[in-house]
């Protein structure tokens, strides 16, 4: 875009003509002519198409910044902000458990969290101590971490799917002095009990059950009933920049890392979602996401704690109950993540899916291939797709419903929110730099790594990192925007169009090159999944000895062994370019997913196409014959020896 040079030329021409004594109208007309003739018409077109979007985005950014500044000056924290909400509407429903029907008012949530704060203070825990929380999503989960925060303590929110080594690792690295676990997690805790330090105090929320005996475990519920529900007499001296809790990454590329969430980050994430999607106090939000991750616990529950909305919780997503829950509790906003929308589309058509009052679906990971199908079938007027990891400082949001986009950055005012796509080597994810040593910005249409400039004094741009300092340092690069600066590395490759809309391309390492072309795994997954009726699909690249690049491999859920590989290939020929068609197929009972419904590829990539690594059905695309062959050890040996033309 040539806007800067065109703008400079037009300003110079305006000044010269004015100095020559021409009327200002003539001067302005001539300057406009110079501007358009110099290519400025492209900039004018962008302004006309994006001004409304950008101005709204700027208003959201300004509003969040002003709210944060007000709370920082007042010395507020998330518990203090929640306290003000309780005083306004003590009897309004705060949290509803869709599984049990249990309802908590704001006054009840306040009383429960006060009891937690008083109990742990009485037990000798001090501000700054870490307490691990390991239970399924229900109102108690929120009350526990909120109560700990009221006492100045920090909760480490453990993924309920963790077992054995990863669970022991997360507990150990958190530095927790105590563990609160739900009765449903007793078996998992028992498995690692011998590896936990003797000084770790264990509390069980719920019933341990008569068949399980865990030494040194206290029943939490009776203790809370005896604790005072009055506010703490001495409020800890905490501020918006102090630690609130820890959220663990999914661990898709190794053991999970504990991301630090400070009070201002919690507020920022919840506030952006609230204002960007115009949520109202009367909205009821349906949250069936894990509360140990930021989408469910910050974007979702944050609407309750900060803005007073009622939030309906379901501890585990259920495609068959989703719309029934929304109708029963009059939900107007729903959350999704990962593959949830695709799972809903797989359900048989029912009357309930159109009788709800849901107007907005907020989340990330909605595949562009099913975006419009989802909105049309279920009658949801707005999709609030966003991008942003728990710890990142470069979150973006789709505020105007642009199909397929995960957000935008203004082309008119790019410096208002200093994020950028920069060029990288997509095989190694190494930053590419110019002669001055700075990162090279991507032009429209060029894929690049999303980065955000760090400013620790600005709550919208700070990066708090992880408990592990080495993990934190790996996510920071220097001299990115300018000499000596620091920027957060998202690890994700996105593409921005001419209007500034951004589209998620692939998580780093998922894009692979084959036959000289970049293959987008998300694109191939979307096509295959749609062809197979929204079946779970994982696509990834695998190395073949003696062959340049990586060949595509697709793992497809086929629990009843009904899929015909060659029927699939006939359809793929119609919709995918030759280089994007998977060379290998793996048909397996189910495709692994994380707790947030992201396809898990680590194990599949490691096992590759070697039939000795799995008992699943494997197939190889014989390009000469034009069909898939069963892949046994003999075929595997021939592939590795170069007998087949790839």
């Amino acid at each position: 875009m040539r806007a800067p040079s065109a703008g400079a030329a037009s300003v110079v021409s305006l000044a010269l003509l004015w100095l020559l004594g021409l009327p200002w109208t003539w001067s302005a007309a001539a300057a406009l002519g110079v501007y358009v003739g110099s290519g400025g018409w492209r900039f004018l077109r962008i302004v006309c198409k994006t001004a409304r979007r950008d101005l709204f985005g700027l208003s959201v950014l300004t509003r969040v910044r002003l709210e944060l500044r007000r709370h920082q000056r007042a010395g507020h924290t998330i518990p203090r902000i929640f306290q003000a909400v309780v005083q306004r509407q003590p009897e309004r429903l705060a949290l509803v458990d869709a599984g049990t029907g249990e309802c908590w008012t704001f006054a009840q949530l306040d009383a429960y969290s006060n009891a937690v704060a008083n109990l742990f203070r009485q037990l000798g825990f001090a501000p700054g101590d870490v307490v691990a929380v390991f239970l399924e999503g229900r109102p108690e989960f929120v009350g526990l971490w909120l109560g700990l925060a009221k006492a100045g303590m920090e909760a480490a929110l453990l993924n309920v799917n963790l077992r054995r080594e990863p669970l022991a690792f997360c507990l150990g690295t958190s530095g927790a002095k105590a563990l609160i676990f739900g009765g449903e997690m007793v078996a998992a805790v028992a498995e690692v009990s011998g590896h936990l330090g003797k000084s770790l105090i264990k509390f069980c929320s719920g019933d341990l059950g008569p068949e399980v005996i865990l030494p040194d475990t206290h029943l939490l519920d009776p203790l809370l009933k005896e604790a005072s529900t009055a506010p703490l007499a001495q409020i800890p001296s905490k501020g918006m920049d102090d630690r609130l809790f820890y959220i663990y990454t999914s661990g898709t590329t190794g053991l999970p890392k504990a991301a630090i969430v400070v009070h201002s980050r919690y507020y920022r994430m919840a506030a952006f979602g609230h204002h960007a999607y115009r949520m109202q106090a009367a909205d009821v939000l349906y949250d069936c996401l894990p509360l140990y991750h930021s989408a469910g616990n910050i974007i979702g529950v944050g609407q309750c704690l900060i803005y007073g909305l009622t939030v309906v919780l379901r501890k585990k997503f259920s495609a068959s109950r989703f719309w029934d829950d929304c109708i029963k509790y009059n939900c107007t906003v729903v959350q999704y993540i990962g593959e949830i929308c695709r799972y809903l589309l797989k359900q048989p058509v029912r009357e309930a899916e159109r009788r709800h009052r849901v107007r907005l679906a907020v989340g990330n990971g909605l595949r562009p291939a099913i975006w419009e199908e989802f909105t049309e079938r279920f009658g949801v007027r707005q999709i609030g797709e966003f991008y942003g990891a728990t710890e990142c400082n470069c979150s973006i949001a789709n505020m105007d419903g642009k199909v397929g986009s995960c957000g935008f950055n203004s082309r008119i005012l790019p410096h208002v929110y200093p994020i950028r796509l920069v060029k990288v080597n997509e095989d190694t994810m190494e930053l590419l730099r110019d002669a001055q040593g700075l990162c090279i910005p991507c032009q429209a249409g060029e894929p690049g790594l999303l980065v955000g400039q760090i400013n620790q004094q600005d709550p919208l741009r700070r990066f708090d990192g992880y408990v592990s300092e080495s993990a934190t340092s790996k996510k920071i690069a220097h001299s990115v925007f300018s000499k000596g600066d620091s920027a957060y590395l998202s690890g994700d490759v996105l593409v921005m169009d001419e209007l500034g809309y951004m589209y998620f391309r692939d998580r780093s390492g998922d894009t692979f090159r084959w036959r000289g072309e970049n293959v987008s795994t998300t694109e191939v997954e979307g096509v295959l999944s749609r062809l197979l009726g929204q079946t779970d699909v994982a696509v990834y690249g695998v190395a073949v000895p003696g062959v340049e690049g990586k060949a595509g491999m697709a793992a497809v859920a086929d629990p009843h062994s009904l899929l015909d590989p060659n029927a699939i290939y006939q359809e793929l020929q119609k919709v995918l370019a030759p280089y994007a068609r998977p060379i290998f197929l793996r048909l397996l009972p189910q495709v692994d997913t994380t707790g947030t419904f992201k396809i898990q590829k680590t194990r599949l990539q490691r096992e590759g196409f070697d039939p000795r690594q799995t008992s699943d059905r494997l197939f190889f695309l014989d390009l000469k014959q034009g069909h898939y062959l069963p892949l046994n050890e003999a075929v595997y040996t021939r592939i590795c020896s170069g007998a087949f033309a790839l």
Side-chain angles (χ1 to χ4, degrees), residues 278-532:
R278 297 182 173 92
M279 296 186 200
Q280 304 296 323
D283 279 324
V284 177
L285 186 145
Y286 183 66
D287 183 354
C288 58
L289 305 182
L291 297 187
Y292 51 78
H293 277 322
S294 56
N297 199 13
I298 303 179
I299 304 296
V301 171
Q303 307 309 320
C304 167
L305 302 185
I306 294 174
Y307 294 105
L309 276 67
T310 299
V311 174
V312 179
L313 303 173
R314 181 171 280 282
K315 67 181 181 181
K316 190 174 182 180
F317 163 70
S318 168
S320 61
R321 296 174 180 171
F322 190 92
W323 298 115
D324 291 333
D325 282 347
C326 290
I327 293 168
K328 181 176 180 179
Y329 296 107
N330 294 312
C331 298
T332 55
V333 180
V334 297
Q335 285 189 274
Y336 66 87
I337 196 169
E339 301 296 294
I340 279 181
C341 294
R342 184 169 59 81
Y343 296 150
L344 291 172
L345 285 170
K346 284 178 67 174
Q347 290 292 300
V349 175
R350 302 167 56 223
E351 181 204 0
E353 66 187 39
R354 300 288 297 194
R355 285 198 294 114
H356 59 80
R357 298 175 55 225
V358 175
R359 61 174 175 81
L360 167 67
V362 177
N364 51 43
L366 176 55
R367 297 178 184 235
I370 64 170
W371 186 300
E372 292 177 293
E373 183 183 356
F374 179 85
T375 58
E376 290 170 9
R377 174 173 165 179
F378 299 119
V380 177
R381 297 195 302 275
Q382 183 181 4
I383 298 294
E385 178 82 4
F386 64 87
Y387 167 85
T390 301
E391 66 276 24
C392 86
N393 70 342
C394 49
S395 302
I396 52 177
N398 182 335
M399 300 182 187
D400 59 353
K402 177 71 172 177
V403 174
S405 171
C406 59
F408 72 94
N409 193 31
S410 174
R411 300 298 305 277
I412 307 170
L413 302 167
H415 301 295
V416 169
Y417 191 53
I419 65 172
R420 183 176 291 174
L421 298 183
V422 297
K423 293 184 179 182
V424 291
N425 179 323
E426 290 193 54
D427 292 327
T428 63
M429 297 306 291
E430 181 183 358
L431 296 168
L432 302 181
R433 296 182 181 269
D434 60 19
Q436 286 73 45
L438 301 177
C439 290
I440 304 171
C442 294
Q443 300 301 313
E446 292 182 335
L449 180 74
L450 181 64
V451 300
Q453 194 173 49
I454 296 172
N455 180 351
Q456 291 301 103
Q457 308 309 313
D458 185 342
L460 301 185
R461 293 164 58 188
R462 62 182 290 145
F463 172 55
D464 298 292
Y466 310 94
V467 171
S468 165
E469 292 186 10
S470 63
T472 300
S473 63
K474 290 177 183 177
K475 299 293 283 186
I476 300 175
H478 301 285
S479 296
V480 175
F481 292 74
S482 59
K483 280 289 184 182
D485 71 358
S486 300
Y488 166 81
L489 305 176
S490 70
D492 292 320
V493 175
L494 282 75
V495 177
M496 183 175 71
D497 67 17
E498 188 184 26
L499 300 179
Y501 289 105
M502 292 194 184
Y503 303 85
F504 189 86
R505 174 161 166 170
D506 273 312
R507 201 158 297 278
S508 61
D510 280 356
T511 300
F512 60 89
R513 285 185 69 80
W514 181 244
R515 297 184 187 174
E517 301 282 354
N518 286 325
V519 181
S520 168
T521 61
T522 52
E523 178 188 353
V524 180
E525 286 168 355
V527 168
L528 260 174
S529 181
R530 188 171 65 252
L531 286 176
L532 300 174

